[in-house]
Amino acid sequence: MYCVSLVTYSVLVNDNSHGFIKLERGIEQGDPLSPFLFILCAEALVNILNKAEGRGSLNGVRALASGPAVHHLLFADDSLLLCKASREEIAELKHCLHLYGEALVLIPDPEPKDPLSHNVTHV
C-alpha cells in the first residue's frame, strides 16, 4: 500500500482554512481504486480457501450432490463465506481467516455484529 498516497483535509470555517486532518490508513470511500484493491485482496482469501478445499479441510456447500462446491461468494465489497455446520469446518474457516488477516495485517472481529449470524456457535 506504499504506492497509494493518502490525502489530507483542511477544515473551512467562514471560508478560512484551519488546520489539517491527515488520514492515517487506507483510502477514502468512493475512491476509484477501491474495487481493484478489493479484488486484489480477495484473491488472497480465495487462494487460502481453495488450498483448504484441496486438502479436504473445507468442503463448502453444494446445491446438488453432483454440483460444484461453493465456499465463498464475493460481490462489490461484500464477502459471504460458506461451510458445513461442523466444528471442524468452522475451525478451518476461522484458520483461513486468521491466515488472511495476518497476511493483510487485519484482525477479524471474533464476535460478528451481523443479526443474521446470531445462531452461529463460536468455536
Side-chain angles (χ1 to χ4, degrees):
M1 292 289 292
Y2 293 111
C3 64
V4 178
S5 63
L6 301 177
V7 296
T8 58
Y9 294 97
S10 177
V11 178
L12 294 178
V13 178
N14 296 329
D15 293 328
N16 294 320
S17 177
H18 294 280
F20 289 93
I21 300 171
K22 179 182 176 188
L23 296 178
E24 294 293 325
R25 291 185 72 159
I27 57 176
E28 61 185 280
Q29 186 174 356
D31 191 295
L33 282 177
S34 293
F36 300 111
L37 292 175
F38 173 78
I39 291 169
L40 183 65
C41 293
E43 279 299 314
L45 177 60
V46 170
N47 186 32
I48 293 169
L49 294 172
N50 286 339
K51 285 183 179 181
E53 183 181 28
R55 289 191 310 269
S57 317
L58 192 63
N59 296 304
V61 177
R62 296 177 191 271
L64 298 171
S66 61
V70 177
H71 49 64
H72 69 279
L73 296 172
L74 307 172
F75 179 75
D77 62 351
D78 294 323
S79 303
L80 177 64
L81 304 177
L82 306 165
C83 70
K84 291 185 179 178
S86 70
R87 290 190 181 271
E88 294 80 17
E89 288 219 16
I90 292 170
E92 180 62 28
L93 191 58
K94 287 179 75 171
H95 176 70
C96 291
L97 289 172
H98 179 76
L99 289 175
Y100 178 64
E102 280 185 341
L104 296 179
V105 193
L106 300 174
I107 301 171
D109 186 356
E111 298 293 329
K113 307 301 186 273
D114 183 6
L116 298 177
S117 66
H118 70 277
N119 61 350
V120 175
T121 304
H122 297 283
V123 178

